[in-house]
Amino acid sequence: MKNPFEYEAANNLTTQEILDYYIEDYNYTRFLESKRNIFLLGDRGSGKTMTLLYNSFKIKYEDPKRNKSKDLFEKIGIHIPCNTPLFHKKEYLLFEDDFRVQIIAEHYFVLSITNAIVASLKDVREVIEAFKDFDEELKEDFSYIFNIPVSTKHSFLESISRWIDKEAFETQKQINDPKNNEFYQNALSLSTLVLPLIKKIKKVPLYKDSHFIFLVDDAHDLNTHQVKVLNSWIAYRDHSDFSLKVATAKVNKPIKITSTGGSILEGHDYTNIDLEKPFYNKDSEFGNLAKSIIKKRLEKISNIDKEPSHFFPTNPELAESLEKYKEIARKEGIAKYGEKEKKKVTDHVYKYARAYYFRDRANSRANLVPYSGFDMLVDLSTGIIRNLLDPCYYMYDAEVSSKKDDTKIEMIPPKTQRDIIKARSDAMWKRLEDGLEKEIEACTESQGKRIYQLFDNLVLHFRERLIKHKSEPRAIMFTISQVDNEHYSELIGLLKIAQMSQLLYTRSGVAKDDGRKEIYYVPNRMLLPTRGLDPNGQHARVSLKCNDLWNAAVGNIPIPFNDDANETNAQAELFG
Amino acid sequence: MALWNKQPFEDLLENKLVEKLGPDEGRSFFSRYTCVRDRLIDEVLSEIPGSEPNLSKHDASHIKQLLVRAYQLLGDDCKKLSEYELYTLGISILFHDSGNLFGRDNHHAKDQVAKVYNGIRGSDPKWRQERHVILTIIESHTGKERDGSASDTLQKVELVSSLENGEKIRIREIASILRFADELEEGPLRTSFFRQSQNSGKGSYPESSKPYHEYANITNVVADRGNGRIVIRYHIDFDTKKDARGVKFKKALEFAYERIIKLDDERQYTKYYSELLLPFKKTEVSFHFSINEIPIEMELEPLVFADEIPIPGRKRKKSQHLQIVTDQNKNYDVKSILKKIQKKIK
């Protein structure tokens, strides 16, 4: 029985699986199909690769819904993964001269792009047909420009593919040759290989109006020289024939400097799209997306036609208790503001009902909160698709293992949900306790210890707020204040490692005091169940002093609690 | 003195002077600059709003921005200016708008600026050569003669001069840099949004100044030397309540077109006289529109104005600006943009 929540990196999925699982968001598609350059930002697991692949020509061509559209050959998406051996070549380290390094970086980059163009097109029936009449002419042109013999046995595209393999080999051989002090003279660039190739391809009538969209995936894996090359192409003004859509993680986001020392400018050279902040359309908020993903997976893989909230029901005791506390908070609100002040009363219920429930549970040493329900799973995901699927996968697996027959899994009982959530939360804490140096190369043992202590104290702080804070008891995000501190950069270093481990995420929002944009930090909400906290946080952020966070990390000193802390109402970007 | 953080330009100037003259003499020479700066900021620039209340800001913030801009314009090539050339550029930046104290008309004229210069430096004859150099540079920072007519003012600046020590200074180069840096210095920092929001009465700007202040609000300019370009980004809002028919919006757009061409003319003109400005081969412009402050997508490709054959003193007619922009890209036709936005509003 296939687990519908299995999470595979998008690169490992078949075309059909991509078509089955992907939930199209018109707003992203519109940008991805435009001629402008786009940076697609999102943490690991937020669906960047899936989005790029879905918009690639290869997948579009196999999609019966889209392959009839007239623009199939007008917008040709070429998926270019940056974590391939060609990108990771280290030959450039042999050069001391920056200029030469850039040239070699661009050389390998354009070989990869050309390879990707050819790989995307060469097996498509219409393309083979369309090229037939032009094959000889193109081969002759190509042979003349690059001064290479082109095989008569193979098609134009196939010949290029073979030549790229040979060229990569030749480059490596020559650069690595210790006897050869000369620079590699055949180095290619965007303007000497990719653009002429596109021009040649556009000779074929099927492509005469084509715009090539280079879908550069995992750009955070590029080295600085490759990033500069990429940026130079982004700053290139003529985008009639090609544009770049670059997906990158937020941590280690590429710099914005070009190889000539210039800059690329947001809003002019490129547009940022934050995959975790569905800003462009109210309907595309993460909650709806999560619902669609789960529903589609249940239908397509397990043939279950059920709403996610029915498949993951909430524990009746939890639902009942929450209702009871809502009523308590409502009465309190009415007593405070009067029955006519409906909005104020509603706000009061929103702020305090859940807080009272979790507070009482924390005080009474009762059993673990029966964490369950689809909404709870969405909250626990912290806005990341991979985090949403992870506990679902284990829950489904636990149900399959406990069954004695082959009958369908119709729902995940609340008890299983609670047990798995607790186990996944415990596992996350275990990773922290064991030390992140075991999984992140750039992390030292001492940093690993500090990160654990920092998170431990953060969660203790959130718990203290839950119990004592008067106005924002459920705040579980924070900003850093008083950053002119000698330890600020070291603290940010720790937070970056936590981000790389997906234990922490960043969002940007408007600061309360001066309206400027500020970064705020959201710990992975899966950390909260072990400590009895509510993953459904309040739209508020706690302002924590840099020094207090540093003391917590280094000295394991509790973060001071202040009931008047300067909180900021978040702009409801995550689940709003 | 008003609060002032030392600017990277000033660090570079001090370091170069120290390198050339040694620590004591170098710092002493640098203090010639800081003395002028502190007195000008406290006693002259802060008083300009009293005599010209409707001008865009010419206070310490403008000087600071201009120092940043000059540094940004030259990039690493800043080091190609000698210590005395950097010093001259710095002093010219400090004095360049001081003539406004006696009124906007002819604020660049030698006699106007000389009054401020003499007031600050005193009557010691040792300053006469410096004064001559500085006044010559400042007089060419606008393209106007005393009678208001347009003229090729940079051409009249000597190619080379010197301070009192006889060291060679390329003053036409410096005059070109000052002029272009000043041309680029537009943006919300140069106006008061509060005064703009006053519809009428004492606190508001007069009608004749309003377009300039509104223009400052919508403009963002970047000198991207590495990519050889000046980038202008405009952010124009369509306010459906205050400007339902789009009259103000249309004016803002047309004014922006006019300024784009002026800026691009200045780019080509100043680089004709300046080796250090040669890398700026084009002006790129993008427009970002919003309706009641909510960004909208208009799918307009950025405009690109690349080098033509430079014609010193050439001024294109005002009426040509709209045509030049739409010749670049017909989608920039003001009426059709307005139509598209009104369609989106509906």
Side-chain angles (χ1 to χ4, degrees):
Chain A
M1 198 178 291
K2 191 172 180 193
N3 191 323
F5 308 113
E6 188 169 306
Y7 190 89
E8 261 296 346
N11 277 320
N12 300 332
L13 296 176
T14 63
T15 300
Q16 195 51 50
E17 282 169 331
I18 290 170
L19 292 173
D20 281 349
Y21 301 166
Y22 187 73
I23 304 291
E24 186 171 10
D25 182 323
Y26 171 70
N27 288 294
Y28 295 151
T29 308
R30 190 166 59 94
F31 277 103
L32 288 166
E33 290 200 338
S34 72
K35 287 187 175 180
R36 65 173 59 184
N37 298 315
I38 302 287
F39 270 93
L40 207 58
L41 305 172
D43 284 304
R44 284 172 201 274
S46 59
K48 298 184 299 292
T49 301
M50 195 79 161
T51 305
L52 293 189
L53 279 170
Y54 183 77
N55 285 286
S56 68
F57 177 74
K58 263 185 141 174
I59 305 289
K60 212 165 146 185
Y61 180 74
E62 297 295 335
D63 184 356
K65 275 192 305 196
R66 295 183 296 162
N67 64 9
K68 303 281 179 295
S69 83
K70 73 173 176 41
D71 72 347
L72 178 67
F73 291 96
E74 277 178 20
K75 305 276 170 61
I76 299 184
I78 308 289
H79 185 242
I80 302 161
C82 293
N83 48 8
T84 62
L86 258 188
F87 277 97
H88 290 179
K89 287 200 163 296
K90 299 280 183 208
E91 272 73 22
Y92 70 91
L93 294 171
L94 294 168
F95 298 111
E96 284 171 11
D97 175 357
D98 248 15
F99 182 62
R100 290 180 168 201
V101 172
Q102 298 289 353
I103 289 174
I104 289 301
E106 181 160 8
H107 177 70
Y108 279 124
F109 210 149
V110 296
L111 288 183
S112 302
I113 292 180
T114 312
N115 213 2
I117 296 175
V118 174
S120 296
L121 301 180
K122 73 181 167 101
D123 298 326
V124 174
R125 187 177 46 82
E126 283 88 340
V127 177
I128 298 168
E129 286 295 313
F131 268 81
K132 256 184 189 167
D133 293 343
F134 299 86
D135 230 47
E136 287 312 311
E137 188 188 337
L138 290 172
K139 276 200 274 187
E140 201 184 312
D141 278 2
F142 206 74
S143 162
Y144 173 72
I145 294 169
F146 295 102
N147 197 21
I148 47 164
V150 181
S151 156
T152 47
K153 282 189 213 155
H154 302 95
S155 69
F156 169 63
L157 293 173
E158 193 62 49
S159 307
I160 295 176
S161 172
R162 284 162 56 88
W163 170 72
I164 290 164
D165 290 344
K166 188 166 173 270
E167 185 56 39
F169 172 73
E170 284 297 328
T171 314
Q172 184 165 343
K173 201 170 85 178
Q174 195 170 330
I175 295 175
N176 288 341
D177 183 358
K179 289 177 214 148
N180 188 358
N181 289 326
E182 279 184 20
F183 186 65
Y184 186 61
Q185 290 181 351
N186 294 340
L188 295 156
S189 67
L190 183 82
S191 52
T192 58
L193 177 61
V194 178
L195 297 184
L197 175 67
I198 289 178
K199 285 232 150 46
K200 299 279 155 253
I201 292 176
K202 288 182 87 161
K203 273 189 168 181
V204 179
L206 184 65
Y207 291 103
K208 86 177 157 46
D209 297 321
S210 295
H211 175 84
F212 286 79
I213 299 169
F214 298 138
L215 305 159
V216 181
D217 203 358
D218 288 329
H220 48 263
D221 283 340
L222 295 173
N223 66 46
T224 316
H225 306 290
Q226 290 164 333
V227 168
K228 286 182 180 175
V229 166
L230 176 70
N231 288 344
S232 299
W233 300 343
I234 287 173
Y236 189 84
R237 200 61 282 150
D238 182 359
H239 284 291
S240 47
D241 285 346
F242 79 96
S243 59
L244 292 139
K245 316 293 184 246
V246 183
T248 172
K250 290 182 181 176
V251 200
N252 294 338
K253 211 164 45 175
I255 52 163
K256 297 288 190 283
I257 307 291
T258 64
S259 40
T260 52
S263 313
I264 50 168
L265 305 168
E266 188 183 354
H268 183 78
D269 296 311
Y270 68 93
T271 303
N272 268 337
I273 294 185
D274 192 336
L275 267 186
E276 289 153 31
K277 196 180 67 174
F279 164 72
Y280 298 99
N281 183 338
K282 201 167 160 269
D283 296 326
S284 64
E285 59 194 40
F286 184 77
N288 286 336
L289 178 68
K291 203 167 143 187
S292 309
I293 288 171
I294 299 295
K295 197 165 163 46
K296 198 167 182 188
R297 280 180 174 246
L298 285 171
E299 274 168 17
K300 293 271 177 186
I301 302 167
S302 302
N303 202 20
I304 296 171
D305 182 17
K306 259 192 174 181
E307 285 302 310
S309 56
H310 294 153
F311 193 77
F312 295 103
T314 306
N315 177 305
E317 184 211 317
L318 173 66
E320 201 180 302
S321 301
L322 285 174
E323 279 309 312
K324 192 179 97 190
Y325 281 92
K326 262 188 193 170
E327 191 51 28
I328 294 171
R330 201 179 68 81
K331 281 183 181 158
E332 201 180 71
I334 291 171
K336 197 171 176 186
Y337 302 110
E339 208 151 352
K340 283 183 184 165
E341 294 284 355
K342 287 203 170 114
K343 192 177 176 304
K344 282 185 181 167
V345 173
T346 311
D347 285 351
H348 191 83
V349 172
Y350 162 74
K351 265 187 180 180
Y352 298 107
R354 290 181 73 102
Y356 290 164
Y357 169 74
F358 280 87
R359 189 180 282 181
D360 281 0
R361 296 288 294 207
N363 284 332
S364 69
R365 296 182 177 220
N367 291 335
L368 180 75
V369 172
Y371 292 98
S372 52
F374 180 68
D375 291 344
M376 185 75 82
L377 288 168
V378 173
D379 288 330
L380 285 166
S381 75
T382 331
I384 303 291
I385 294 160
R386 190 180 294 182
N387 296 348
L388 172 75
L389 296 174
D390 175 271
C392 300
Y393 173 86
Y394 285 100
M395 288 170 191
Y396 191 90
D397 197 51
E399 279 304 294
V400 171
S401 308
S402 67
K403 269 166 54 80
K404 294 188 178 99
D405 52 29
D406 256 1
T407 52
K408 239 196 230 175
I409 308 278
E410 292 289 350
M411 61 111 159
I412 307 290
K415 184 182 173 307
T416 309
Q417 293 184 49
R418 184 201 64 184
D419 292 348
I420 295 295
I421 289 172
K422 171 76 169 50
R424 298 309 293 152
S425 185
D426 289 349
M428 200 167 270
W429 279 106
K430 175 108 182 21
R431 282 173 61 207
L432 269 167
E433 275 176 59
D434 288 350
L436 293 182
E437 70 274 13
K438 296 194 172 65
E439 50 186 85
I440 302 285
E441 207 185 337
C443 178
T444 64
E445 201 178 326
S446 119
Q447 282 175 318
K449 188 180 167 200
R450 288 173 175 184
I451 294 168
Y452 169 66
Q453 293 184 160
L454 175 64
F455 273 77
D456 194 34
N457 282 297
L458 265 173
V459 176
L460 281 173
H461 181 79
F462 290 144
R463 191 179 159 88
E464 197 175 359
R465 286 182 67 88
L466 177 72
I467 294 169
K468 299 180 188 164
H469 202 275
K470 288 189 189 114
S471 61
E472 310 284 8
R474 287 189 298 119
I476 46 174
M477 308 181 274
F478 66 97
T479 56
I480 307 176
S481 62
Q482 300 188 6
V483 294
D484 50 345
N485 183 290
E486 54 180 324
H487 299 299
Y488 179 65
S489 57
E490 278 178 280
L491 177 69
I492 292 297
L494 296 182
L495 297 178
K496 275 203 169 156
I497 294 170
Q499 276 180 267
M500 285 185 219
S501 316
Q502 284 102 59
L503 290 164
L504 184 72
Y505 298 95
T506 56
R507 302 280 186 272
S508 69
V510 181
K512 199 178 183 181
D513 351 340
D514 52 8
R516 78 196 144 75
K517 278 262 176 189
E518 70 174 2
I519 298 285
Y520 59 99
Y521 296 87
V522 189
N524 190 320
R525 295 183 180 186
M526 189 50 99
L527 289 163
L528 304 178
T530 296
R531 305 296 176 97
L533 292 171
D534 183 8
N536 178 265
Q538 212 160 351
H539 296 314
R541 0 187 223 272
V542 189
S543 170
L544 299 174
K545 290 178 191 156
C546 175
N547 205 39
D548 292 340
L549 289 167
W550 182 248
N551 288 339
V554 176
N556 203 15
I557 298 167
I559 298 167
F561 172 74
N562 173 10
D563 202 6
D564 301 323
N566 180 26
E567 277 84 30
T568 312
N569 286 322
Q571 297 302 301
E573 281 162 345
L574 186 55
F575 299 108
Chain B
M1 186 204 154
L3 288 175
W4 182 274
N5 291 327
K6 201 171 171 199
Q7 299 301 304
F9 178 94
E10 295 171 317
D11 278 330
L12 178 70
L13 170 60
E14 184 175 14
N15 291 341
K16 284 200 92 164
L17 285 167
V18 167
E19 207 176 284
K20 169 87 176 176
L21 304 170
D24 296 337
E25 270 188 60
R27 288 203 181 94
S28 156
F29 204 99
F30 182 63
S31 69
R32 286 170 56 160
Y33 165 85
T34 49
C35 287
V36 170
R37 182 194 67 197
D38 297 350
R39 285 199 64 193
L40 262 175
I41 287 173
D42 278 350
E43 295 170 30
V44 178
L45 301 179
S46 56
E47 298 304 314
I48 290 176
S51 34
E52 284 289 350
N54 302 319
L55 285 184
S56 51
K57 285 186 187 170
H58 287 85
D59 57 6
S61 68
H62 175 49
I63 297 297
K64 209 180 276 179
Q65 288 302 319
L66 203 49
L67 288 169
V68 172
R69 185 68 81 184
Y71 194 73
Q72 189 189 53
L73 258 184
L74 301 179
D76 275 352
D77 284 348
C78 237
K79 291 170 192 148
K80 288 186 180 166
L81 289 177
S82 74
E83 51 289 332
Y84 298 117
E85 287 171 335
L86 268 180
Y87 167 82
T88 307
L89 176 59
I91 297 283
S92 307
I93 288 174
L94 296 177
F95 277 107
H96 84 284
D97 274 337
S98 61
N100 280 314
L101 191 66
F102 307 106
R104 181 67 180 167
D105 288 343
N106 290 320
H107 76 284
H108 57 291
K110 283 183 176 172
D111 53 345
Q112 299 277 65
V113 184
K115 283 190 242 174
V116 183
Y117 185 92
N118 294 340
I120 299 279
R121 284 288 200 210
S123 55
D124 188 333
K126 78 170 181 184
W127 297 116
R128 284 180 190 159
Q129 178 59 21
E130 178 181 297
R131 184 179 67 198
H132 164 74
V133 168
I134 300 299
L135 300 188
T136 307
I137 290 170
I138 291 174
E139 195 167 50
S140 67
H141 95 276
T142 74
K144 285 180 184 168
E145 294 289 349
R146 281 200 75 92
D147 62 3
S149 63
S151 152
D152 181 5
T153 52
L154 282 175
Q155 189 257 336
K156 293 175 187 162
V157 179
E158 305 148 78
L159 206 54
V160 174
S161 183
S162 72
L163 296 177
E164 74 282 0
N165 59 13
E167 293 253 10
K168 194 173 90 174
I169 298 170
R170 293 166 290 171
I171 67 167
R172 195 187 280 169
E173 178 81 53
I174 294 165
S176 308
I177 295 166
L178 169 71
R179 177 163 166 162
F180 192 45
D182 195 36
E183 177 65 32
L184 300 185
E185 210 23 59
E186 286 289 0
L189 291 176
R190 296 209 63 189
T191 184
S192 156
F193 184 66
F194 178 78
R195 281 191 68 188
Q196 284 186 61
S197 62
Q198 308 300 301
N199 287 333
S200 56
K202 270 189 177 173
S204 67
Y205 288 118
E207 285 306 316
S208 57
S209 305
K210 276 184 180 170
Y212 295 93
H213 290 279
E214 276 157 15
Y215 180 75
N217 263 350
I218 63 170
T219 310
N220 172 276
V221 184
V222 176
D224 183 14
R225 189 178 180 88
N227 287 321
R229 62 185 182 166
I230 300 295
V231 177
I232 318 176
R233 284 175 288 188
Y234 289 110
H235 300 271
I236 308 184
D237 185 54
F238 192 112
D239 188 330
T240 54
K241 282 184 189 153
K242 292 183 189 159
D243 184 32
R245 296 180 63 193
V247 177
K248 208 172 143 194
F249 175 88
K250 186 169 171 270
K251 271 188 188 163
L253 200 54
E254 286 176 349
F255 194 68
Y257 288 4
E258 193 182 319
R259 301 297 292 186
I260 294 167
I261 304 305
K262 178 167 182 292
L263 186 146
D264 192 55
D265 276 348
E266 284 291 307
R267 178 184 65 78
Q268 296 186 54
Y269 172 66
T270 50
K271 73 182 266 190
Y272 180 82
Y273 289 115
S274 161
E275 215 173 289
L276 291 172
L277 296 179
L278 276 178
F280 292 101
K281 296 185 182 72
K282 57 187 171 178
T283 304
E284 293 181 6
V285 189
S286 50
F287 281 83
H288 306 272
F289 296 105
S290 55
I291 298 172
N292 300 330
E293 299 299 342
I294 304 295
I296 53 163
E297 191 47 61
M298 293 287 283
E299 287 169 16
L300 286 169
E301 283 290 304
L303 294 163
V304 182
F305 298 90
D307 279 351
E308 292 170 12
I309 299 163
I311 307 165
R314 175 191 67 173
K315 284 277 170 255
R316 289 181 267 206
K317 282 183 199 160
K318 253 191 177 180
S319 55
Q320 286 180 311
H321 300 140
L322 298 178
Q323 191 59 46
I324 294 167
V325 170
T326 43
D327 280 353
Q328 273 277 328
N329 183 337
K330 62 178 177 1
N331 294 329
Y332 276 86
D333 175 58
V334 175
K335 276 184 194 157
S336 70
I337 288 180
L338 192 61
K339 229 180 196 175
K340 270 188 200 165
I341 290 192
Q342 281 164 338
K343 206 172 157 192
K344 279 181 192 277
I345 294 169
K346 276 176 196 162

